Amino acid sequence: MKLKFISDETLMDLRGNYDSYKEHYYNEDHEWFDNYLKEEGKVLESNIPFEMPALNMEADYAISDKENVKAIYEALKHLTVNQATQERLWAGLAHLQLREFAFYRLKKDLENKNDKRINTALFFKNGNKRSLFVHILARLWWVGYMTYDESNKQDPYWLTNFFCSKDFSARSVIFFSSNFTSNRTITKGILKCLFGLEENGIEIKRDHFVQANKYLNIVGGAMILDMLTEEEVEEMVGKYLLKHFGYQLGDNKVRL
């Protein structure tokens, strides 16, 4: 099977005329979408191989999001970074091969006719960078890409499991909206630091991600962060967070 995507004209039509089509989304009208997308020129086929992933559709998104990050990334690991930034690819998947998943993940928003979230979940409505971590499919691939640790042969998804353990949607937007978290070395250095703190008994919350970003944003004005290794990022961020939150590590436990 080859990966399919929608044409630019189709993307602009679905985005621009959403109000005319929204009832078909609310009703999960597969027949209407099938007929609409059968029209000549609306769907294009790429040369990119694609095998349908076995996606998790548990009622508890805390379970399914983590598993689906791994499923989508495994299925599309061969995408280039440039390909993975294309709105018509992700919007296409959401309307074509993975439409059932899109309806599943947006079930509550479709029932509540939450047009704002439906739009941001299916199209890039938040700027190029932020949209990658708001779109319901793009964010799965990008979180997988940014957290995959090929150096860990036993479990390359160990950082993915940690990152996706809770607050997946909020963490994705907050953490990856910064420019420097586009660098996988920096990202993994931060995550390894936070994982280490959690191993020492600290409950990692949203503010830990926020403070790590703030710190590196300040430091980035005085040094070239892209030159740092994962270990250097891990050490720098760790020292800062311990000081900022007033933690002291001793005997493998945290003293406040």
Side-chain angles (χ1 to χ4, degrees):
M1 183 189 301
K2 299 295 185 182
L3 191 65
K4 294 179 180 180
F5 57 97
I6 53 178
S7 67
D8 288 328
E9 293 76 12
T10 306
L11 175 61
M12 291 303 101
D13 182 44
L14 290 170
R15 279 172 54 106
N17 295 304
Y18 170 79
D19 285 342
S20 300
Y21 302 140
K22 60 186 180 182
E23 290 297 329
H24 301 299
Y25 289 99
Y26 301 158
N27 298 327
E28 300 184 20
D29 191 346
H30 285 286
E31 183 178 359
W32 183 87
F33 282 105
D34 287 341
N35 290 330
Y36 171 85
L37 293 165
K38 280 180 183 176
E39 295 176 20
E40 186 176 355
K42 288 195 180 294
V43 177
L44 306 173
E45 186 171 278
S46 72
N47 292 319
I48 302 169
F50 177 65
E51 295 296 329
M52 282 287 289
L55 294 173
N56 186 311
M57 296 196 190
E58 293 260 357
D60 186 350
Y61 296 145
I63 296 172
S64 63
D65 283 339
K66 177 174 67 175
E67 295 308 313
N68 289 331
V69 165
K70 292 181 275 189
I72 287 290
Y73 187 62
E74 278 296 315
L76 292 168
K77 196 184 294 184
H78 50 286
L79 286 180
T80 66
V81 168
N82 183 57
Q83 289 168 338
T85 62
Q86 302 300 309
E87 180 182 7
R88 59 183 181 157
L89 183 150
W90 297 117
L93 274 173
H95 286 84
L96 293 162
Q97 293 107 317
L98 298 180
R99 190 193 311 146
E100 191 67 50
F101 172 81
F103 286 154
Y104 145 76
R105 193 59 181 81
L106 289 172
K107 184 174 180 59
K108 294 175 184 176
D109 295 301
L110 293 170
E111 289 174 350
N112 295 326
K113 300 184 178 181
N114 183 357
D115 293 327
K116 182 177 180 180
R117 177 54 188 145
I118 295 169
N119 267 271
T120 59
L122 298 175
F123 306 107
F124 284 11
K125 295 279 190 171
N126 292 274
N128 292 338
K129 177 72 184 297
R130 188 180 178 92
S131 290
L132 296 175
F133 295 94
V134 173
H135 189 283
I136 54 168
L137 289 174
R139 68 182 181 181
L140 298 176
W141 188 93
W142 277 95
V143 169
Y145 172 74
M146 296 303 298
T147 60
Y148 187 83
D149 183 13
E150 52 278 310
S151 69
N152 189 325
K153 303 301 182 184
Q154 188 173 4
D155 182 12
Y157 286 107
W158 69 288
L159 289 175
T160 308
N161 290 330
F162 164 68
F163 182 82
C164 300
S165 60
K166 61 181 178 181
D167 299 330
F168 173 75
S169 297
R171 282 185 178 184
S172 298
V173 174
I174 291 170
F175 187 53
F176 290 112
S177 290
S178 299
N179 288 330
F180 53 79
T181 47
S182 297
N183 183 314
R184 295 176 78 200
T185 298
I186 294 174
T187 293
K188 288 188 282 186
I190 296 172
L191 293 180
K192 287 179 179 180
C193 164
L194 296 177
F195 178 84
L197 293 179
E198 185 172 81
E199 287 285 281
N200 276 279
I202 296 173
E203 181 183 358
I204 299 301
K205 299 181 179 179
R206 189 178 305 180
D207 196 36
H208 291 90
F209 289 91
V210 171
Q211 292 304 325
N213 279 0
K214 282 184 178 180
Y215 168 66
L216 287 179
N217 190 48
I218 294 171
V219 172
M223 66 168 63
I224 302 174
L225 296 178
D226 289 347
M227 300 292 289
L228 298 174
T229 65
E230 287 180 25
E231 291 73 23
E232 288 171 331
V233 173
E234 180 181 1
E235 182 179 0
M236 287 171 56
V237 173
K239 287 180 178 178
Y240 170 76
L241 293 180
L242 290 175
K243 181 178 180 181
H244 177 82
F245 289 104
Y247 299 138
Q248 289 184 328
L249 299 184
D251 301 325
N252 295 319
K253 295 182 180 179
V254 175
R255 299 195 304 273
L256 302 179

